[in-house]
Amino acid sequence: MTIRTRIAPSPTGDPHVGTAYVALFNMVFARSQGGQFLLRIEDTDQTRSTPESEQAILDALSWLGLDWDEGPNVGGDKGPYRQSERSDIYRKYAEELIEKGYAFRCFCTPQRLDELRATQMQEKQPLGYDGHCENLSEEEIAKRLGNNEPYVVRMKVPREGQCTFNDMLRGEISIDWAQIDMQILLKADGMPTYHLANVVDDHLMQISHVIRGEEWINSAPKHILLYQYFGWDIPVFCHLPLLRNVDKSKLSKRKNPTSILYYQRMGYLPEALLNYLGRMGWSMPDEREKFTLDDMLNEFDIQRVSLGGPVFDVEKLSWLNGMWIREELTDEQLADRLQQWALNRDNLMAFLPFAKQRMETLSDIAPLGSYLVSGMLPISAEDLHSAGMEQDQLLEVLQFSLWRLESIQQWQRDNIFNALKAVADAMDIKMKPFLAPLFIAIAGSSSSISVMDSMALLGADMSRARLRHAIELLGGVGKKKLKKMEKAYQQLG
Ligand code: GLU
């Protein structure tokens, strides 16, 4: 059997370090055994998927040094590798399940489903579909189809017993069928859900091992049932432990930057970040901390993955990155890296139109532009207070701006401006005083170029990270306070 693995990201945001971690283990598992690794874009959620996010994921994984044998950008004979281009395939398979009696059309209105949910919550019953449309008569179905009533396709699920399956790392796992919902497979608009598309594609793309994050364990019974309904071979499942924050909670951007773009912009070396991701739950037989992708390929054994919940600790990453800089790069190579990373023509050309107006000597570029190549700025709470706002309002301005900026899809000056203006208007603060603390948080001083331009130049991740850093400097926002602020933010509209 040829070993074939895949990474199947949904292009709905910034490229996540968790995606790179799972991709790395998939790639190394397959290649270390002469197999193939492919990349599939799971963009069935058309409201949240964007081409920009897809591109950013491909770029970020390539930057890290990962590559794939088949995928949307490299082709392959099992394509297309983008699910939005495969809708006809999924529809055909959904029909097949209906014909075989393993799935059914469900005409329940959203209103009925809301009521059902409310009742189940009230009576503290498990949530899920109640089977209302599971046994409609042929005539009833024909009549409703004739009336053009919208419907979804749901899979049938046993009500009793357990689904037992084997996980490569965890051994036998059993989950009660009663916990498994009659999953929607095809939505009313004819698009598949993740579950149907994922299983159909893993089968058609001949994936032998499904290696993914542990958050998918509870979906495995649905997937296994689908393989059985279709009469297909079931791949081997392997659920990797989730990356964690230092406090052991699930890695989240509230506590840690999670976007690969942030680490790129901070100046981590791709080899070092990849090395660190390889240390997540895995170790070399000799336990050494610093190793290359080739070392990992030579020594890889998936059974060395420990399930303890690997901690993604930025300080540890920085320490490792320092070792890579000192021990692996000659001065020549380091100079090249610096030039490629930030001191390149594109970056200079983006900044010079602003800087030029303020320059008298060439050396002025250093104070004017240093904040653009820095990581977190050496500012203090006093600097933020110098904007003349009292503490609570200061925190609100920063936090509300951060939330608003998180919803921007295309990180461009005008969109940034509109987002900030909307918050300022809603808070009834004039733009100039509103922007004053943002200047400090983003550029370290109020005399820099417009803060919107700075943010556009810095990119979304670094801009947001600096806002978060400023909030931390002010003492942060505790749980209780956060709740209150969330409410106030929602009221702003
Ligand atoms: N599209 C899913 C994700 O975003 C893939 C999960 C899987 O690997 O099955 O993580």
Side-chain angles (χ1 to χ4, degrees):
M1 178 187 67
T2 311
I3 293 192
R4 283 172 61 88
T5 63
R6 53 40 171 202
I7 182 76
S10 298
T12 56
D14 295 330
H16 199 282
V17 283
T19 305
Y21 152 70
V22 176
L24 170 65
F25 279 77
N26 269 285
M27 183 181 117
V28 173
F29 179 79
R31 297 249 175 95
S32 63
Q33 299 175 82
Q36 292 132 17
F37 165 62
L38 56 106
L39 184 144
R40 177 174 76 229
I41 293 292
E42 299 210 326
D43 57 350
T44 53
D45 184 346
Q46 288 284 297
T47 52
R48 294 177 60 228
S49 301
T50 64
E52 291 80 18
S53 168
E54 176 183 321
Q55 194 57 50
I57 293 172
L58 299 185
D59 291 346
L61 295 180
S62 304
W63 173 73
L64 279 170
L66 297 171
D67 63 354
W68 36 97
D69 303 287
E70 297 166 34
N73 55 340
V74 294
D77 61 3
K78 304 277 186 292
Y81 293 91
R82 196 177 282 116
Q83 290 187 327
S84 57
E85 293 165 20
R86 301 169 63 84
S87 322
D88 293 346
I89 304 178
Y90 311 123
R91 255 196 297 275
K92 184 183 112 207
Y93 283 106
E95 286 297 328
E96 181 183 325
L97 289 180
I98 297 177
E99 267 161 41
K100 288 182 170 165
Y102 294 135
F104 60 94
R105 293 185 179 82
C106 167
F107 296 91
C108 288
T109 58
Q111 199 185 348
R112 174 173 189 276
L113 297 174
D114 285 347
E115 282 165 17
L116 175 65
R117 197 183 156 80
T119 320
Q120 286 172 337
M121 296 224 309
Q122 210 171 30
E123 294 175 9
K124 299 211 162 60
Q125 292 168 355
L127 302 181
Y129 187 65
D130 61 353
H132 188 72
C133 293
E134 196 176 348
N135 296 309
L136 294 181
S137 68
E138 289 296 326
E139 297 87 70
E140 180 75 23
I141 296 172
K143 196 179 94 197
R144 291 189 173 204
L145 288 178
N147 290 342
N148 274 332
E149 280 184 42
Y151 66 87
V152 300
V153 176
R154 286 181 190 273
M155 68 189 286
K156 292 190 182 175
V157 173
R159 301 278 160 81
E160 281 161 12
Q162 285 189 323
C163 174
T164 300
F165 62 99
N166 211 58
D167 180 283
M168 238 199 311
L169 295 173
R170 294 157 200 269
E172 204 171 272
I173 297 180
S174 292
I175 298 177
D176 287 342
W177 282 119
Q179 283 180 29
I180 308 296
D181 195 15
M182 295 181 201
Q183 178 64 49
I184 296 179
L185 299 176
L186 216 56
K187 295 178 271 190
D189 62 3
M191 285 295 273
T193 56
Y194 153 74
H195 304 277
L196 177 67
N198 185 273
V199 165
V200 166
D201 286 349
D202 280 346
H203 170 71
L204 294 178
M205 296 178 184
Q206 294 176 355
I207 298 303
S208 61
H209 293 73
V210 170
I211 305 176
R212 59 185 173 191
E214 71 183 296
E215 72 270 35
W216 298 103
I217 290 181
N218 287 330
S219 298
K222 291 174 196 169
H223 299 175
I224 288 167
L225 196 56
L226 286 172
Y227 284 103
Q228 288 167 343
Y229 284 168
F230 286 119
W232 295 337
D233 286 342
I234 302 175
V236 179
F237 287 100
C238 174
H239 292 93
L240 294 172
L242 281 182
L243 302 186
R244 310 218 156 244
N245 296 310
V246 176
D247 65 8
K248 286 277 179 182
S249 58
K250 181 180 152 199
L251 190 69
S252 66
K253 63 176 170 197
R254 277 231 162 119
K255 300 198 173 142
N256 249 332
T258 54
S259 165
I260 299 170
L261 301 176
Y262 167 83
Y263 293 95
Q264 194 173 23
R265 161 97 35 189
M266 254 330 247
Y268 290 95
L269 304 181
E271 305 92 315
L273 180 52
L274 201 66
N275 176 178
Y276 192 57
L277 291 173
R279 297 271 305 124
M280 294 290 100
W282 192 81
S283 57
M284 291 289 276
D286 62 3
E287 302 281 333
R288 70 175 185 273
E289 304 259 11
K290 195 171 99 233
F291 52 84
T292 64
L293 181 57
D294 275 345
D295 296 337
M296 195 170 170
L297 279 163
N298 289 335
E299 301 288 349
F300 193 70
D301 172 4
I302 194 134
Q303 294 307 333
R304 289 186 64 85
V305 171
S306 82
L307 296 175
V311 171
F312 189 89
D313 180 347
V314 181
E315 275 180 33
K316 200 107 205 265
L317 168 63
S318 299
W319 167 81
L320 188 63
N321 202 61
M323 290 220 296
W324 271 85
I325 289 184
R326 285 187 297 276
E327 295 172 12
E328 301 298 320
L329 298 181
T330 62
D331 291 356
E332 288 280 339
Q333 287 168 328
L334 184 54
D336 287 343
R337 291 297 180 108
L338 283 165
Q339 269 180 346
Q340 285 159 12
W341 167 71
L343 308 178
N344 61 50
R345 205 165 176 88
D346 286 350
N347 285 359
L348 279 173
M349 290 304 282
F351 181 52
L352 287 184
F354 302 108
K356 204 172 163 189
Q357 315 305 325
R358 297 156 186 249
M359 283 168 74
E360 289 174 342
T361 59
L362 298 183
S363 59
D364 286 337
I365 197 74
L368 282 172
S370 69
Y371 74 99
L372 289 172
V373 285
S374 296
M376 291 310 122
L377 301 174
I379 53 170
S380 64
E382 282 98 85
D383 295 327
L384 291 158
H385 279 295
S386 73
M389 244 177 225
E390 47 111 8
Q391 167 90 358
D392 278 355
Q393 195 174 44
L394 199 50
L395 276 173
E396 278 182 2
V397 164
L398 294 167
Q399 183 66 64
F400 293 172
S401 299
L402 178 58
W403 280 332
R404 195 66 174 222
L405 293 170
E406 273 170 358
S407 65
I408 290 188
Q409 294 235 347
Q410 279 180 339
W411 193 256
Q412 288 161 354
R413 187 197 191 279
D414 291 350
N415 296 344
I416 299 169
F417 175 80
N418 291 338
L420 295 177
K421 176 95 173 73
V423 180
D425 286 352
M427 290 181 76
D428 206 14
I429 307 177
K430 291 230 161 53
M431 222 27 193
K432 200 163 175 226
F434 177 85
L435 291 179
L438 296 177
F439 263 98
I440 313 275
I442 293 292
S445 101
S446 51
S447 61
S448 84
I449 65 169
S450 120
V451 71
M452 276 69 68
D453 288 317
S454 291
M455 287 196 197
L457 289 170
L458 280 168
D461 301 286
M462 183 55 85
S463 301
R464 291 182 204 137
R466 289 200 187 160
L467 290 179
R468 252 177 254 130
H469 178 61
I471 294 171
E472 290 305 315
L473 287 176
L474 291 169
V477 183
K479 258 198 190 141
K480 226 162 129 195
K481 174 121 185 122
L482 194 69
K483 274 236 165 86
K484 248 171 110 183
M485 283 173 85
E486 273 167 353
K487 231 187 183 165
Y489 180 68
Q490 265 147 26
Q491 276 163 2
L492 288 182

